[in-house]
């Protein structure tokens, strides 16, 4: 097993069968010992959070599989905190895809002049950012992605369509727990001529509200896993 990459919260290995193994660590992004999923640096360790994030990801990847939505997910070993996935090429140096159902966060920072925090975005709104810690993950448009040769217009359209579909699946599931999904962040990759969802679907990748109160990611994980 060869280590391909050491990420902030996961180690990435290549497997003999050609697949990839993601090992979920207990390292969390945050600052000064406070967990903050929006941070771009590792700030603390929380015992067992790697396994919890893996279990949350399994929860959602299994639902997507049942609904016939293909992702990189192959299998998982909770004990070892590992997930076997299809190998994917990331776009550029890494791309994050955000789906917003309710306007908040950086969307309000940018467009607060036009929209109030907490306003629903009917049907969902999709935008992309480059993974670039130094530049604070800059926003990138479809035209830029095509102009830069990062992807074709067709690939972008596939990402957008899948993002809206997958976000609805996650939101519908959270709704059954009495929770509202406000926004969520995904990664997509390219595998054998297909664009598929990769990486994880964990509590730190989404903003979820119970009524007018935002859910803390650790609490949210407990609710999703019914623990
Ligand atoms: N199926 C896959 N194939 C190849 N790379 C993947 C796959 N799924 C996720 N990755 C990559 O593995 C890394 C996961 O580690 P993580 O700690 O989350 O990294 P980062 O610090 O870049 O967010 C990410 O860079 C992600 O793009
Ligand atoms: Mg990551």
């Amino acid at each position: 097993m060869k280590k391909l990459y050491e990420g902030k919260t996961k180690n990435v290995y290549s497997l003999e069968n050609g697949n990839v193994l993601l090992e979920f660590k207990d390292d969390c992004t945050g600052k000064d010992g406070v967990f903050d999923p929006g941070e771009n640096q590792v700030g603390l360790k929380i015992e067992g959070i790697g396994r919890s994030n893996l279990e949350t990801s399994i929860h959602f990847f299994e639902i997507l599989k049942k609904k016939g939505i293909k992702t990189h997910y192959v299998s998982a070993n909770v004990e070892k905190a590992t997930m076997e996935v299809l190998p994917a090429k990331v776009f550029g140096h890494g791309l994050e895809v955000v789906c917003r159902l309710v306007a908040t966060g950086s969307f309000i920072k940018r467009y607060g002049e036009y929209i109030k925090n907490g306003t629903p975005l009917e049907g969902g709104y999709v935008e992309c950012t480059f993974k670039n810690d130094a530049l604070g993950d800059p926003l990138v448009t479809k035209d830029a992605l095509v102009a830069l040769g990062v992807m074709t217009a067709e690939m972008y359209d596939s990402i957008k369509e899948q993002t809206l579909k997958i976000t609805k699946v996650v939101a519908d599931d959270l709704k059954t727990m009495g929770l509202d999904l406000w926004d969520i962040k995904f990664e997509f990759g390219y595998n054998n001529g297909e664009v598929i969802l990769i990486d994880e679907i964990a509590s730190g990748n989404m903003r979820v509200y119970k009524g007018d109160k935002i859910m803390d990611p650790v609490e949210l994980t407990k609710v999703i896993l019914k623990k």
Side-chain angles (χ1 to χ4, degrees), residues 8-10 96 131 187 199-200 205:
K8 288 189 287 279
T9 61
K10 288 172 232 105
E96 290 185 329
K131 283 176 83 165
E187 278 188 51
D199 208 45
E200 60 175 5
N205 306 90

Side-chain angles (χ1 to χ4, degrees), residues 106-140:
S106 60
F107 191 81
I108 291 297
K109 225 178 270 169
R110 267 182 270 132
Y111 310 129
E113 195 186 346
Y114 297 90
I115 192 166
K116 274 220 315 263
N117 188 53
T119 309
L121 296 164
E122 286 313 325
Y125 166 92
V126 178
E127 64 187 9
C128 297
T129 58
F130 275 135
K131 283 176 83 165
N132 184 320
D133 294 347
L135 293 180
D137 295 346
L139 196 68
V140 58

Side-chain angles (χ1 to χ4, degrees), residues 5 7-10 12 72 85-88 90 131 187 198-199:
Y5 177 71
K8 288 189 287 279
T9 61
K10 288 172 232 105
V12 184
H72 74 154
V85 298
L86 299 174
V90 302
K131 283 176 83 165
E187 278 188 51
I198 65 167
D199 208 45

Side-chain angles (χ1 to χ4, degrees), residues 21-192:
L21 195 76
L22 301 179
E23 181 188 23
F24 287 63
K25 302 189 275 190
D26 284 344
D27 293 333
C28 303
T29 55
K31 218 174 166 173
D32 305 326
V34 181
F35 179 34
D36 177 0
E39 257 305 322
N40 271 336
Q41 65 190 48
V42 172
L44 69 160
K45 232 181 168 80
I46 300 179
E47 177 80 30
I49 200 166
R51 200 166 287 151
S52 296
N53 286 335
L54 171 62
E55 288 186 86
T56 307
S57 297
I58 296 169
H59 171 86
F60 289 115
F61 279 123
E62 288 287 354
I63 298 178
L64 292 170
K65 189 158 97 183
K66 277 195 204 99
K67 296 206 177 275
I69 299 172
K70 184 176 169 183
T71 69
H72 74 154
Y73 175 69
V74 175
S75 65
N77 183 328
V78 175
E79 197 82 334
K80 291 188 172 151
T82 57
M83 182 162 86
E84 182 174 340
V85 298
L86 299 174
K89 240 178 83 98
V90 302
F91 292 102
H93 305 300
L95 183 78
E96 290 185 329
V97 183
V98 177
C99 187
R100 303 178 178 279
L101 301 177
V102 179
T104 195
S106 60
F107 191 81
I108 291 297
K109 225 178 270 169
R110 267 182 270 132
Y111 310 129
E113 195 186 346
Y114 297 90
I115 192 166
K116 274 220 315 263
N117 188 53
T119 309
L121 296 164
E122 286 313 325
Y125 166 92
V126 178
E127 64 187 9
C128 297
T129 58
F130 275 135
K131 283 176 83 165
N132 184 320
D133 294 347
L135 293 180
D137 295 346
L139 196 68
V140 58
T141 64
K142 172 181 177 179
D143 285 3
L145 289 165
V146 175
L148 297 171
V150 169
M151 66 175 69
T152 64
E154 290 70 33
M155 285 175 187
Y156 181 88
D157 294 341
S158 169
I159 287 178
K160 183 173 172 186
E161 190 191 322
Q162 291 188 60
T163 296
L164 290 168
K165 211 191 269 177
I166 293 165
T167 299
K168 188 170 185 314
V169 170
V170 174
D172 287 350
D173 183 58
L174 291 169
K175 198 89 212 163
T176 66
M177 305 167 201
L179 304 174
D180 299 313
L181 179 66
W182 279 32
D183 55 30
I184 184 163
K185 190 166 73 185
F186 298 108
E187 278 188 51
F188 284 86
Y190 199 63
N191 166 271
N192 273 335

